[in-house]
Amino acid sequence: MQRRRFLTGLGCSLAASPFVTPVSFAATGGEKRLVVIILRGGMDGMDALRPTGDPLFAQYRPRLAAERGLPLDGFYELHPALSDLMPLWKAGDLAFAPAVSTPYRDKRSHFDGQDLLEAGTGMDVTLPRDGWLNRLLQVMPGATSETAFSVGREDMRLLSGSAPVSSWSPEARLDMSPQARLLLQEVYHGDALFREAGEEAVLIADSLGVSSDDSFGMSKSEMREARTRAVQGSQAEVLARFAAARLNEHARIAAFSLPGWDTHRGQRAAMSRALGGLQGAVLTLKSELGANWGQTAVVAMTEFGRTARENGSVGTDHGTGGAMLLAGGAINGGRVFGDWPGLEEAVLYARRDLMPVTDVRAYPAWLMQGLFGVNQSALELSIFPGLKLQRDPGVLL
């Protein structure tokens, strides 16, 4: 078997394996592109986008706020783990929206919160079986029989519904026999480029529960570094690269999820890992989309935020108001959208959480309106039932 053909097949197996989170695609008319990233676990928006201009921020979070971030606009700082996104901010390809939330309140359940986020409705209705991205496709005249494509063992509710959706959920795993590992080592030993790919393939296989005594001649520290690169870094990048390839062809809408945002304890390390994955996904999309990046809007959203104050385990508990990341060449970036509600206890939600000032559904609604020409009545009545869409603050160029 030829090396490149083997690696191509290996890449397909990785994209389809349970190691990779679900990813969905939709093909529509036009050249505009929309990428939706669901951050599962409740991202701490006040850590990703730090309101250091509010004096209570450092008081509420003396340990989490100890490490300085990167100044953005005199009030907000960017988490250090997102430092590689600063060129996008300066180029106007990156923006944030603080104090956003779905209509979900008080119960603070990941499952319920994610269901509501992907259903796109309020709390006072029975959740529909379809998701808001599928309902978008139902009203788009450019949608085709190839409207959606899903990869992964679990369907994303976001794209479930009556609009045509194709899914591929193979049971394949990257199980490699000892003989296969030895063959891989022998074939790639003298080729630095493919040797590194082979090393990461074995490490990913190991991360899926496949044992191996084969280290490809690496030391223990090199093995740890390669494992971190393969398991933590490339998971998001593999998804983004696969999404970009489809978006460069017929797909115009892509959606995938990134886990790891539930930070009850040890938040500094956990947030750095999770934000590193998100950063890698955004940068990979930009790199792989090439000229199409200028026609692309990326929105990263989560089911709820976290408490205003850090807890005794240097973490934060389930909260309400969170933050959203917007990226892409189509985004009117280099700014923070929306108002800051403040951290005084009297204005906190339930005296513990950041008070939401904007419905999180409004931002994807404005994106749909600008990218695909969806009218306001369809957005408020069909796609996001119960949403009262206010004036667009200018999220797109």
Side-chain angles (χ1 to χ4, degrees):
M1 183 181 294
Q2 295 180 352
R3 294 181 186 179
R4 294 185 184 274
R5 185 175 300 174
F6 178 80
L7 279 183
T8 300
L10 184 61
C12 292
S13 297
L14 292 179
S17 77
F19 170 66
V20 177
T21 58
V23 57
S24 304
F25 304 96
T28 67
E31 291 300 318
K32 302 295 185 180
R33 293 159 172 83
L34 174 64
V35 181
V36 179
I37 305 175
I38 302 296
L39 308 177
R40 300 196 186 281
M43 181 186 75
D44 183 4
M46 284 178 54
D47 203 0
L49 179 68
R50 298 175 171 181
T52 52
D54 190 318
L56 290 174
F57 175 71
Q59 180 179 325
Y60 287 173
R61 298 178 168 214
R63 292 167 293 183
L64 290 177
E67 183 183 16
R68 293 299 303 271
L70 291 83
L72 293 178
D73 61 359
F75 184 85
Y76 294 101
E77 291 185 0
L78 190 64
H79 190 287
L82 295 176
S83 60
D84 288 348
L85 295 185
M86 281 300 294
L88 298 188
W89 172 266
K90 294 176 180 178
D93 288 358
L94 180 69
F96 295 90
V100 296
S101 176
T102 71
Y104 185 63
R105 296 290 184 273
D106 300 326
K107 296 181 181 179
R108 300 182 177 88
S109 159
H110 288 302
F111 299 106
D112 293 342
Q114 289 172 22
D115 280 348
L116 197 70
L117 175 66
E118 297 193 53
T121 69
M123 287 189 69
D124 55 349
V125 298
T126 300
L127 293 186
R129 294 185 178 181
D130 55 4
W132 53 266
L133 264 184
N134 191 278
R135 294 196 295 275
L136 165 66
L137 299 170
Q138 294 171 32
V139 303
M140 290 183 66
T144 71
S145 60
E146 298 176 343
T147 296
F149 185 87
S150 176
V151 175
R153 287 192 172 187
E154 300 177 20
D155 291 332
M156 292 188 71
R157 183 170 192 163
L158 193 67
L159 260 171
S160 297
S162 60
V165 176
S166 300
S167 62
W168 183 35
S169 301
E171 297 296 322
R173 291 183 49 142
L174 189 61
D175 293 337
M176 300 177 67
S177 67
Q179 293 84 358
R181 295 167 186 270
L182 289 173
L183 176 61
L184 193 65
Q185 180 183 15
E186 181 65 26
V187 171
Y188 295 149
H189 181 74
D191 190 322
L193 174 64
F194 289 106
R195 178 186 175 189
E196 181 178 351
E199 291 167 355
E200 293 199 9
V202 171
L203 289 167
I204 292 172
D206 289 343
S207 76
L208 293 173
V210 183
S211 60
S212 172
D213 295 326
D214 189 2
S215 65
F216 283 85
M218 292 186 287
S219 67
K220 289 184 178 180
S221 63
E222 290 172 330
M223 282 284 288
R224 285 194 297 269
E225 181 180 352
R227 182 183 295 276
T228 299
R229 184 174 65 249
V231 176
Q232 295 178 356
S234 69
Q235 179 180 6
E237 293 166 17
V238 165
L239 286 171
R241 188 172 297 112
F242 193 50
R246 306 287 78 75
L247 291 166
N248 283 333
E249 295 174 349
H250 301 296
R252 291 296 176 267
I253 295 173
F256 58 88
S257 63
L258 298 178
W261 302 93
D262 198 16
T263 53
H264 290 284
R265 59 184 61 84
Q267 179 165 311
R268 291 180 66 173
M271 276 293 284
S272 293
R273 286 193 298 269
L275 288 171
L278 176 59
Q279 173 178 267
V282 172
L283 293 177
T284 299
L285 285 168
K286 182 180 186 300
S287 174
E288 297 295 319
L289 283 169
N292 289 326
W293 174 255
Q295 304 268 38
T296 299
V298 181
V299 55
M301 53 203 306
T302 192
E303 66 262 32
F304 46 64
R306 307 191 76 82
T307 49
R309 297 175 177 86
E310 65 182 46
N311 61 29
S313 302
V314 198
T316 50
D317 299 315
H318 298 176
T320 308
M324 171 183 287
L325 177 147
L326 300 158
I331 294 294
N332 185 17
R335 66 193 67 202
V336 175
F337 294 102
D339 298 324
W340 177 247
L343 291 174
E344 294 83 3
E345 186 170 348
V347 299
L348 292 177
Y349 182 81
R351 295 185 176 271
R352 69 192 292 276
D353 303 338
L354 184 66
M355 179 68 72
V357 297
T358 307
D359 191 319
V360 75
R361 300 174 296 172
Y363 286 94
W366 287 319
L367 293 177
M368 293 174 186
Q369 194 173 59
L371 293 173
F372 306 122
V374 182
N375 63 56
Q376 185 167 334
S377 62
L379 290 167
E380 294 180 338
L381 299 177
S382 174
I383 298 173
F384 294 115
L387 174 65
K388 300 300 181 185
L389 196 59
Q390 304 299 318
R391 184 174 179 269
D392 184 351
V395 294
L396 292 171
L397 291 173

